[in-house]
Amino acid sequence: MKFMKLGSKPDAFQADGNCIRYVASELDTDVVIVVGEVKFNLHKFPLLSKSNLLQKLVSRANEDNTDEVCMVDFPGGPKAFEICAKFCYGMTVTLNAYNVVAARCAAEYLEMTEDVDHGNLIFKIEVFLNSSVFRSWKDSIIILQTTKSLLPWSEDLKVVGRCVDSIASKTSADPSNVTWSYTYNRKLAVTDQICENGTRLQQKFQSVPKDWWVEDICELDIDHYKRVMVAVKSKGRMSADVIGEALKAYAIRWLPDSIDALVSDDYTLRNRSLVETVIWLLPFDKGSECLCSFLLKLLKVAILVGAGDAPKEELLKRISWQLDKATVNDLLIPAQPPDTSIYDAKLVQNIVNRFIMQARCTQNLDFVDKHDKVSDDFVFGRGSWLNVGKLVDGYLAEIASDPNLSVSSFVDLAQLIPETARPIHDGLYKAIDIYLKEHSNLTKIDKKKICGLMDVKKLSVDACMHAAQNECLPLRVVVQVLFFEQVRTAAGVLNAPLNVSRDSSRSTANTEEEWERTMPEDCKSLEKQMSQMKICDNECQKHGEKKSKKGSKNKGGGVLLLPSRSRRFFDRLWVGVKGHGENRSSETSGSSQSPTSLNPGETKSSGSSSRRRRHSVS
């Protein structure tokens, strides 16, 4: 820290209690200066020789036959006046970054200019500020912190502006030339390293990062911080990434972790001002790495503290630029009354919608409808789309257990993701599975809407096996899963979703009437394939246990034996086909009941296993 000593005489100021200060001298004092609650018993001559204001005030006091002079609203208070008084007496006084601004404002108030005396206090302080203090990174920050209590004097004297400009200029310095730091006291140390061949090299073992200044200025209050960041941005030398990192560090430093502290009456206004200022200072560069998780946290805080619509709108726009970099936890934003759900699914739906619109504008692509086809290059060449698809499916799985989450909110959010952004439906199936189990009172129509989101042809083998034993799924969905799994087995493709055209198959979005109409044809096709693989209904019933043990080792046909519940579904299908559909409705209704009515030993193990593996699909 820089400092300057003024005067050479020993300090003769003494105190008589807390409210009286006097100079120990053989001469009696002849003037009393009142500053705040403190009375200074001093001598006129030293004071009048340096201060133009005291000359005027003492003259008025003489006219009023009094020796007391009162100073109202003296900048810096009694401590600042004492510094000026000691200077007038020629006593030793030390100026540093903590008291120099107060002394400067006090000297201005007392009119201690060059017109009164050559080499007066104002001149000496200005030399000290310009030659030493403003050249120091640490001192500039300290001085800027002290100016807040000295307004408007510090502002009128341009001390605040000069501090801001000094700090902003130093932040844009070449990091390789930085040899100072306020928080960490970093220094570019150089050591000698002797190599094996005897060559002596000098190596910098500690480098200074580009954002070395970020945490240093976090100690500033929000008004000064805003001015510094505006100055940094206006110089145009700082990258948007570093500016984003600085804003993130400041928000973490001052925003409380507790929600109660965040919304408390004592700090709500301060937190609201802080959040709105940080949002206003965000770099406008779309390519900046201002982390999406940080922006979403800002959005949560902005909602809680009641920030204005404009800042929240700005955040939503920026989040939509890089939604593919978010995580599920980032999107778990609490819903606000009167919404009764736990998390704000409508807000997330708004963000996803913005992402889609932004992608269309920036990429100049008309993203296809869910039922249209695109090339594989488009699907796998857009990693951001795939990331957003996984993100939304993960978010749906997280909020699916909310008992107050409506079917429409679940369906609307799931339908926003285009087909090409969701090549695998395992994540969506997991969300549907959780939602159906947590909302057991859904109507058939609602279940049909929920399950209609999923394409069974895009489930992995593990997901198909799980779905085949899932008692919460409608029967028609389970049968479709079994059908496509058998077709996949016949094709010998066991590790990838089946690619079957929609003209030759039926998706889960079929209506109940379409399913009833197409059931015989699907069963005939399935019967033909099973006969080709030399598996018949009688053999399955007669040798079921034997094949269940050896099916995994069967190398001839490559047949995947289905679980017991799956085989029972197929048994009923064969009965329906052989009976020409006469008893199909009764068989279907029977299969929707609990499997315990059939084979107790098998059913309990499969049913309980499916309930225990509720979150087993990844």
Side-chain angles (χ1 to χ4, degrees):
M1 179 183 297
K2 305 293 184 180
F3 65 92
M4 180 177 68
K5 286 187 176 182
L6 299 175
S8 58
K9 299 179 181 180
D11 186 356
F13 268 72
Q14 297 182 8
D16 184 5
N18 296 326
C19 298
I20 297 178
R21 300 282 289 168
Y22 65 93
V23 177
S25 173
E26 296 179 355
L27 298 176
D28 294 336
T29 58
D30 53 3
V31 64
V32 178
I33 308 296
V34 181
V35 180
E37 298 178 353
V38 181
K39 290 184 177 181
F40 291 87
N41 296 322
L42 305 174
H43 303 85
K44 293 180 181 179
F45 176 74
L47 300 178
L48 301 185
S49 64
K50 301 289 184 180
S51 172
N52 188 34
L53 177 65
L54 287 177
Q55 293 177 9
K56 301 174 184 177
L57 294 178
V58 170
S59 176
R60 292 177 188 174
N62 292 334
E63 295 175 358
D64 296 339
N65 296 322
T66 180
D67 59 352
E68 189 170 293
V69 175
C70 295
M71 294 187 179
V72 183
D73 297 329
F74 190 88
K79 291 184 178 180
F81 177 80
E82 185 173 336
I83 293 175
C84 296
K86 287 180 179 180
F87 175 79
C88 293
Y89 277 92
M91 298 178 184
T92 302
V93 60
T94 302
L95 297 178
N96 54 44
Y98 292 100
N99 62 13
V100 66
V101 178
R104 175 66 180 87
C105 295
E108 188 71 22
Y109 183 92
L110 294 173
E111 300 178 8
M112 302 176 71
T113 62
E114 292 296 290
D115 297 336
V116 180
D117 186 36
H118 181 70
N120 213 342
L121 184 57
I122 291 178
F123 172 77
K124 291 184 179 297
I125 291 178
E126 285 295 329
V127 172
F128 177 56
L129 288 174
N130 295 326
S131 63
S132 298
V133 177
F134 290 144
R135 294 187 178 185
S136 169
W137 167 257
K138 177 180 178 179
D139 291 347
S140 297
I141 294 177
I142 295 174
I143 287 179
L144 187 57
Q145 290 175 305
T146 63
T147 57
K148 185 176 182 180
S149 60
L150 295 167
L151 294 173
W153 287 91
S154 59
E155 190 71 58
D156 295 339
L157 296 174
K158 296 182 172 37
V159 176
V160 177
R162 286 185 287 173
C163 281
V164 169
D165 187 66
S166 172
I167 295 171
S169 299
K170 291 176 176 59
T171 60
S172 58
D174 187 353
S176 61
N177 297 327
V178 172
T179 58
W180 62 84
S181 178
Y182 178 44
T183 302
Y184 294 113
N185 196 24
R186 297 189 187 98
K187 291 184 178 180
L188 289 179
V190 179
T191 58
D192 293 335
Q193 180 182 8
I194 300 177
C195 300
E196 294 181 358
N197 58 4
T199 304
R200 184 178 295 273
L201 297 176
Q202 288 186 334
Q203 178 181 358
K204 294 178 181 180
F205 68 86
Q206 185 179 9
S207 60
V208 177
K210 293 180 180 179
D211 60 349
W212 61 269
W213 54 272
V214 164
E215 295 177 356
D216 295 4
I217 65 172
C218 284
E219 301 303 319
L220 299 174
D221 65 89
I222 186 62
D223 294 330
H224 288 156
Y225 182 84
K226 179 180 178 180
R227 292 185 63 170
V228 170
M229 292 303 299
V230 169
V232 170
K233 294 173 64 177
S234 65
K235 292 184 180 299
R237 302 174 187 174
M238 196 63 59
S239 67
D241 297 343
V242 177
I243 292 176
E245 185 64 26
L247 297 175
K248 178 182 176 181
Y250 191 82
I252 294 174
R253 169 67 177 81
W254 290 105
L255 288 177
D257 297 330
S258 171
I259 295 180
D260 295 335
L262 190 65
V263 298
S264 64
D265 296 335
D266 297 334
Y267 298 101
T268 299
L269 293 178
R270 181 185 72 86
N271 294 333
R272 183 186 305 163
S273 174
L274 191 152
V275 170
E276 291 180 347
T277 301
V278 170
I279 296 173
W280 185 77
L281 290 172
L282 288 172
F284 193 72
D285 185 8
K286 294 184 180 181
S288 65
E289 291 297 329
C290 194
L291 297 179
C292 188
S293 59
F294 167 60
L295 298 178
L296 285 165
K297 289 176 183 178
L298 276 183
L299 180 60
K300 293 178 185 179
V301 176
I303 294 173
L304 289 173
V305 300
D309 293 336
K312 288 189 288 188
E313 178 69 19
E314 180 68 18
L315 277 179
L316 290 174
K317 179 177 67 175
R318 292 176 179 273
I319 292 170
S320 67
W321 292 344
Q322 47 182 328
L323 181 61
D324 58 309
K325 297 182 178 67
T327 64
V328 173
N329 288 334
D330 297 334
L331 294 178
L332 296 179
I333 301 174
Q336 299 298 308
D339 194 348
T340 58
S341 58
I342 300 176
Y343 299 110
D344 197 340
K346 293 183 180 179
L347 179 61
V348 175
Q349 182 178 347
N350 183 9
I351 295 174
V352 176
N353 246 329
R354 289 170 179 267
F355 172 81
I356 295 175
M357 297 296 295
Q358 186 72 21
R360 288 175 176 172
C361 296
T362 57
Q363 298 176 8
N364 195 22
L365 293 172
D366 294 328
F367 204 81
V368 296
D369 188 72
K370 184 177 180 180
H371 298 288
D372 293 339
K373 296 181 180 180
V374 292
S375 65
D376 290 342
D377 292 339
F378 178 80
V379 176
F380 298 103
R382 299 290 186 269
S384 59
W385 285 101
L386 301 178
N387 291 338
V388 171
K390 293 179 181 178
L391 178 67
V392 171
D393 289 347
Y395 178 78
L396 289 172
E398 191 69 30
I399 68 173
S401 57
D402 182 2
N404 295 324
L405 180 64
S406 64
V407 175
S408 60
S409 297
F410 187 93
V411 172
D412 291 344
L413 181 56
Q415 285 180 337
L416 284 179
I417 302 302
E419 180 180 338
T420 49
R422 190 185 278 140
I424 305 296
H425 279 207
D426 285 13
L428 181 59
Y429 166 67
K430 179 180 179 180
I432 292 173
D433 178 42
I434 296 174
Y435 190 86
L436 293 178
K437 289 179 179 178
E438 295 294 335
H439 301 77
S440 57
N441 297 326
L442 291 176
T443 63
K444 291 184 178 180
I445 296 177
D446 289 337
K447 285 186 177 182
K448 187 190 303 181
K449 290 181 181 178
I450 295 292
C451 295
L453 300 170
M454 177 178 58
D455 188 349
V456 298
K457 299 187 301 299
K458 294 187 176 182
L459 296 178
S460 66
V461 175
D462 292 338
C464 283
M465 296 301 293
H466 187 280
Q469 303 176 78
N470 194 339
E471 297 179 359
C472 294
L473 294 177
L475 174 62
R476 64 187 182 87
V477 177
V478 175
V479 175
Q480 284 180 331
V481 171
L482 298 174
F483 167 72
F484 289 115
E485 186 59 29
Q486 283 301 112
V487 175
R488 181 180 7 222
T489 302
V493 183
L494 300 178
N495 295 321
L498 182 62
N499 187 12
V500 180
S501 65
R502 294 183 178 272
D503 296 334
S504 61
S505 62
R506 299 294 186 268
S507 68
T508 57
N510 287 341
T511 61
E512 201 68 35
E513 292 77 8
E514 290 175 334
W515 172 251
E516 294 293 338
R517 185 172 62 255
T518 59
M519 173 82 96
E521 297 179 2
D522 290 342
C523 291
K524 290 178 183 180
S525 175
L526 184 59
E527 182 179 18
K528 180 179 179 181
Q529 293 191 34
M530 292 189 70
S531 63
Q532 292 175 354
M533 293 184 291
K534 299 180 181 180
I535 297 179
C536 63
D537 184 33
N538 293 332
E539 291 176 353
C540 287
Q541 295 178 356
K542 187 180 298 183
H543 305 288
E545 296 181 358
K546 183 177 179 180
K547 289 191 174 183
S548 64
K549 296 179 180 179
K550 299 181 179 181
S552 61
K553 299 180 180 180
N554 188 349
K555 300 179 180 179
V559 179
L560 176 67
L561 292 184
L562 299 174
S564 58
R565 184 169 182 253
S566 307
R567 293 200 301 274
R568 288 196 299 275
F569 280 126
F570 276 107
D571 293 343
R572 297 179 182 183
L573 291 180
W574 301 138
V575 173
V577 174
K578 292 177 181 178
H580 302 288
E582 295 175 358
N583 300 323
R584 182 169 60 235
S585 61
S586 62
E587 292 294 333
T588 302
S589 62
S591 63
S592 62
Q593 299 175 358
S594 175
T596 56
S597 62
L598 295 175
N599 198 342
E602 275 185 334
T603 306
K604 289 182 179 179
S605 62
S606 62
S608 62
S609 174
S610 65
R611 284 189 290 271
R612 284 197 302 269
R613 295 189 301 157
R614 173 177 160 190
H615 300 287
S616 62
V617 180
S618 60

